[in-house]
Structures are given as C-alpha cells and as structure tokens.
Amino acid sequence: GENVEQHPSTLSVQEGDSAVIKCTYSDSASNYFPWYKQELGKRPQLIIDIRSNVGEKKDQRIAVTLNKTAKHFSLHITETQPEDSAVYFCAASKGNNDMRFGAGTRLTVKP
Amino acid sequence: DVKVTQSSRYLVKRTGEKVFLECVQDMDHENMFWYRQDPGLGLRLIYFSYDVKMKEKGDIPEGYSVSREKKERFSLILESASTNQTSMYLCASSQTRGGRSPLHFGNGTRLTVT
C-alpha cells in the first residue's frame, strides 16, 4: 500500500520566517495530496490540498508544490505567526477511498 | 458545516472488555473512516467504509472490527481490549467516492485500557 514519509518531525522558526515541510509518497498512482493542521487538543483540519494535475497551489500565506516525477510534495508557510504553531500532517490518496498520512511535523513559531 | 460527532471524548476500559466507539456524521457522506493517532506515528488507518454494510481493512485492522448499518453511523469495535490499544481514535467522513475529497474529522476519543 501507499507509504507517506514526512520531514522534519519538529520545526522551530522565528515569527516572520518561512517554514517548509516535505513529504514523499511511494505509489505513483496517488493523485490527491491534502495537508491538515492539528492544534493542541483539537481535530485535524484541512488547510490546503492539491491534485496531481496541478504543480502548485497557493492560498494567502500557504502554498503547496507537487513533483510527480520525484513523488514528493511540500508545504510552504510564509511570514509565520505564533498561531501557525501546530502539528501538520501531509496525506496521499489514489482514489480508492483510503488516505494515508505522514507521521506529522510539530511546528513551533517563536514570537 | 460538516459535523462529525464521536460519542465519547474520553474512555477508560479494562483489559478484555468489549469496547464500542461510535461516530455519526450529518452531511450524508458516503465514506467514513477510523484512524488511530499515536505520537510519532501519525494517523494510521484502521478501517474504512464507502457504503452501508461495506467495509475495507486499512493498515492496522487486527483486534478491531467495524459496523455500518446506517449511512450516517460508523462504529469501531474492540472485541477484547488490550493495553496496546490505548490511543486516540479519530473518526472521519468524506463526500465522494474516489478518495479525492478532504476528510472531515471528529474531535477524537482518547481510550485508555488498563
């Protein structure tokens, strides 16, 4: 089955800096790549997603890039703020109703 | 707004007990999922269902079963709870078949097996 690896496991940045989280996937048939943010004690919530027919997608300070050839995708957060502190999960799905997640990245934004 | 409701926020059970975790969604979603969340391991798929009475094994189905008798309800069953099943359990639903729509999660059930 699909295997998703996520790096780094922890990331600490200064407020205003950029943060990048990277994921790789194993199954070339995967075609949907969402990113979820989980604040402490809360449910994971979708922040951005990308489909395999698109190379990049941006939503304000958040962007995701996808390299299908290399089978990796990345989350970019610019101008980080303390409220961006959370655990971020990448995921991959190949259209058969199962979604596999990475192990998560704990992002800390220091004021 | 999609609402996925898990019946219990915290549960404490004894080893060997049969445990039921209930999940209800209110948006007529076809797909429902059970994940287990452990530190450093992310979210691991236990079972999913894409229709009433249909179920598919995920990556870690051992020791678990599921039931989907109605479209809005998906139950996770621990036949005989063990201490290694102590974890956070997350239910989720999604709208379309084909796995290309986002998951909507419940608040989770933190299960402790003693």
Side-chain angles (χ1 to χ4, degrees), chain A residues 25-41:
Chain A
Y25 60 98
S26 61
D27 193 332
S28 56
S30 290
N31 54 20
Y32 177 62
F33 307 93
W35 286 87
Y36 290 83
K37 175 183 180 182
Q38 187 177 30
E39 297 177 6
L40 190 63

Side-chain angles (χ1 to χ4, degrees), chain B residues 35-38 86-90 107-111:
Chain B
Y35 286 89
R36 169 177 172 161
Q37 183 175 16
D38 299 289
T86 292
S87 187
M88 171 68 83
Y89 291 87
L90 288 166
N107 279 324
T109 296
R110 184 166 294 283
L111 173 67

